[in-house]
């Protein structure tokens, strides 16, 4: 059952995922449900793809759990993926693979995020008061809609 979104209603969901090969699939399906139920169906495919890429990276390059936070603020939706690996990729050197490497299974995730998201970024978490360490990579969709 779908609901028409109220423009003033902001919302937030957090999904905790273990270090498990099924985590990207679970995250994709959860994001799809959130976007459909809140009336952002036009953004669901992109959100699914980008979230899957970030959760896959969290699984591949981190040895602990991850979390996915989805937050609506006005006409924008921000998705942030946290994992336990504090090593931040070189965000300023992210590119899409060239035509020869297009079929590659690895190395395209952050390039897709850069290409498809309205905005994106990331930062390392060290020495946080709660003891949280790792990194957070985020993207926003919908900044130009509404």
């Amino acid at each position: 059952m779908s609901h028409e979104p109220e423009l003033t209603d902001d919302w937030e969901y957090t999904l905790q995922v273990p270090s498990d090969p099924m985590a990207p699939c679970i995250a994709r399906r959860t994001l799809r449900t959130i976007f459909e139920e809140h009336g952002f169906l036009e953004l669901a495919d992109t959100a699914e793809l980008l979230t899957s890429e970030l959760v896959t990276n969290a699984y591949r390059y981190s040895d602990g759990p991850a979390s996915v936070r989805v937050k609506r603020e006005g006409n924008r939706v921000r998705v942030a993926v946290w994992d336990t690996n504090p090593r931040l990729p070189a965000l300023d050197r992210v590119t899409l693979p060239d035509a020869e490497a297009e079929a590659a299974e690895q190395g395209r995730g952050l390039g897709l995020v850069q290409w498809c998201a309205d905005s994106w970024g990331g930062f390392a978490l060290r020495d946080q008061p709660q003891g949280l360490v790792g990194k957070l990579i985020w993207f926003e969709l919908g900044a130009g809609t509404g």
Side-chain angles (χ1 to χ4, degrees):
M1 115 195 219
S2 291
H3 306 280
E4 288 295 318
E6 297 279 333
L7 291 178
T8 58
D9 285 348
D10 292 338
W11 42 258
E12 181 176 343
Y13 295 90
T14 302
L15 172 67
Q16 306 295 327
V17 294
S19 181
D20 184 276
M22 290 301 296
C25 176
I26 300 299
R28 273 195 314 272
R29 290 180 181 180
T30 301
L31 263 282
R32 164 75 52 188
T33 300
I34 292 169
F35 276 70
E36 285 179 356
E37 292 300 317
H38 283 286
F40 285 88
L41 188 57
E42 73 279 3
L43 302 176
D45 289 342
T46 303
E48 253 187 296
L49 171 67
L50 302 185
T51 301
S52 180
E53 294 293 338
L54 294 182
V55 174
T56 296
N57 285 351
Y59 171 69
R60 284 187 178 153
Y61 303 114
S62 175
D63 59 359
S67 68
V68 180
R69 182 173 152 227
V70 186
K71 183 176 184 179
R72 175 188 176 185
E73 294 177 340
N75 63 346
R76 295 176 298 126
V77 179
R78 177 178 281 213
V79 177
V81 175
W82 166 83
D83 68 51
T84 59
N85 182 350
R87 186 167 176 255
L88 196 61
L91 300 177
D92 59 340
R93 290 183 289 187
V94 171
T95 60
L96 282 171
D98 60 28
E100 292 177 13
E102 197 168 303
E105 288 291 317
Q106 295 182 4
R108 61 188 173 98
L110 289 178
L112 287 172
V113 173
Q114 181 180 32
W115 190 57
C116 296
D118 292 321
S119 59
W120 76 287
F123 51 90
L125 301 167
R126 293 186 177 92
D127 302 322
Q128 298 295 304
Q130 311 87 345
L132 188 65
V133 296
K135 70 177 162 299
L136 187 83
I137 307 287
W138 60 270
F139 65 87
E140 287 186 346
L141 298 172
T145 64

